[in-house]
Amino acid sequence: DQQVKQNSPSLSVQEGRISILNCDYTNSMFDYFLWYKKYPAEGPTFLISISSIKDKNEDGRFTVFLNKSAKHLSLHIVPSQPGDSAVYFCAASVKGERSYGKLTFGQGTILTVHP
Amino acid sequence: KAGVTQTPRYLIKTRGQQVTLSCSPISGHRSVSWYQQTPGQGLQFLFEYFSETQRNKGNFPGRFSGRQFSNSRSEMNVSTLELGDSALYLCASRGTEYEKLFFGSGTQLSVL
């Protein structure tokens, strides 16, 4: 049972344009959401997060939007740069499980930004 | 500050063998989690250790086990390897910002 789904395996965008990565979840107990970025041969690195009490969080070129009623979140990257090319994982956690290091991840979306 | 270190980087084993993977967390981090990454499945939680105690375990068979030492270093063991165990095994440590995991580069295990 995939509780966190990233339905787009890949996304290709032009440098300077907006990249929008989407994520859907089914578990209504999730109250904290994160995005991780992974380059080949490296471990995932934390990018940005959002609590369920908010609907938007910004950090530089990265913005995460949360729509709780639709159980949907998205990551916007503006402007996209070639160095952003990586696999992006959406992750979610339940308050109790978060304390014990458990995140539930999506399958990942491969973002390719063309110069 | 050194990051999370995992050894070895690559491993090739045959079915039925067992394997031990090692993880050294970021200095000062006492929580270590293990994840399995396979194509199309994302990262799946294996277990988490804190102060040498397993506090949480994912939905994996008993062939997957782990331990943590007093210096917070952790090992993961997989016994009676199966072809389906071929995956990237990632270790992550966590400090006071408990929602953020810091991952190592992983151990790529191939079971032939």
Side-chain angles (χ1 to χ4, degrees):
Chain A
D1 175 31
Q2 197 79 31
Q3 297 185 61
V4 177
K5 296 182 181 180
Q6 295 175 254
N7 292 317
S8 298
S10 62
L11 175 68
S12 181
V13 299
Q14 208 67 32
E15 181 178 6
R17 305 295 290 269
I18 184 171
S19 295
I20 300 176
L21 296 100
N22 294 302
C23 178
D24 297 298
Y25 62 95
T26 57
N27 188 344
S28 57
M29 297 295 290
F30 287 143
D31 66 344
Y32 200 86
F33 304 88
L34 309 91
W35 284 93
Y36 279 81
K37 179 170 71 173
K38 185 179 185 299
Y39 292 118
E42 294 182 13
T45 55
F46 171 79
L47 194 56
I48 192 170
S49 62
I50 187 168
S51 165
S52 61
I53 63 174
K54 295 184 176 181
D55 54 18
K56 177 183 174 182
N57 188 29
E58 286 182 84
D59 184 2
R61 296 185 298 113
F62 303 91
T63 302
V64 56
F65 294 92
L66 175 62
N67 182 335
K68 282 182 292 182
S69 61
K71 292 191 176 67
H72 176 84
L73 66 156
S74 60
L75 173 68
H76 292 209
I77 307 174
V78 184
S80 301
Q81 300 172 354
D84 296 329
S85 297
V87 180
Y88 288 78
F89 289 99
C90 168
S93 69
V94 175
K95 185 176 181 179
E97 291 182 334
R98 181 160 68 247
S99 300
Y100 300 123
K102 180 179 179 181
L103 298 178
T104 302
F105 284 84
Q107 308 95 309
T109 296
I110 302 170
L111 173 65
T112 304
V113 180
H114 298 283
Chain B
K1 203 174 191 181
V4 177
T5 304
Q6 290 188 247
T7 57
R9 187 70 183 89
Y10 299 96
L11 264 179
I12 299 176
K13 293 286 187 179
T14 56
R15 279 182 300 173
Q17 287 187 310
Q18 75 165 21
V19 66
T20 299
L21 314 181
S22 180
C23 171
S24 293
I26 291 172
S27 178
H29 286 190
R30 295 166 63 189
S31 166
V32 174
S33 303
W34 288 89
Y35 285 80
Q36 180 195 64
Q37 184 190 358
T38 53
Q41 290 294 317
L43 283 73
Q44 294 183 290
F45 175 77
L46 281 155
F47 30 65
E48 188 252 7
Y49 286 87
F50 183 87
S51 293
E52 302 178 64
T53 301
Q54 185 183 93
R55 299 195 302 180
N56 200 1
K57 183 171 166 56
N59 189 25
F60 279 83
R63 300 185 297 106
F64 292 81
S65 63
R67 59 177 176 168
Q68 187 180 34
F69 303 95
S70 58
N71 61 358
S72 293
R73 190 178 71 86
S74 178
E75 288 182 346
M76 189 190 104
N77 185 76
V78 187
S79 62
T80 320
L81 284 165
E82 300 177 359
L83 295 179
D85 297 333
S86 294
L88 179 66
Y89 290 88
L90 292 159
C91 165
S93 72
R94 183 165 57 87
T96 53
E97 289 184 277
Y98 63 88
E99 67 276 6
K100 293 180 186 175
L101 298 180
F102 295 86
F103 285 88
S105 297
T107 295
Q108 184 67 54
L109 172 65
S110 297
V111 182
L112 307 178

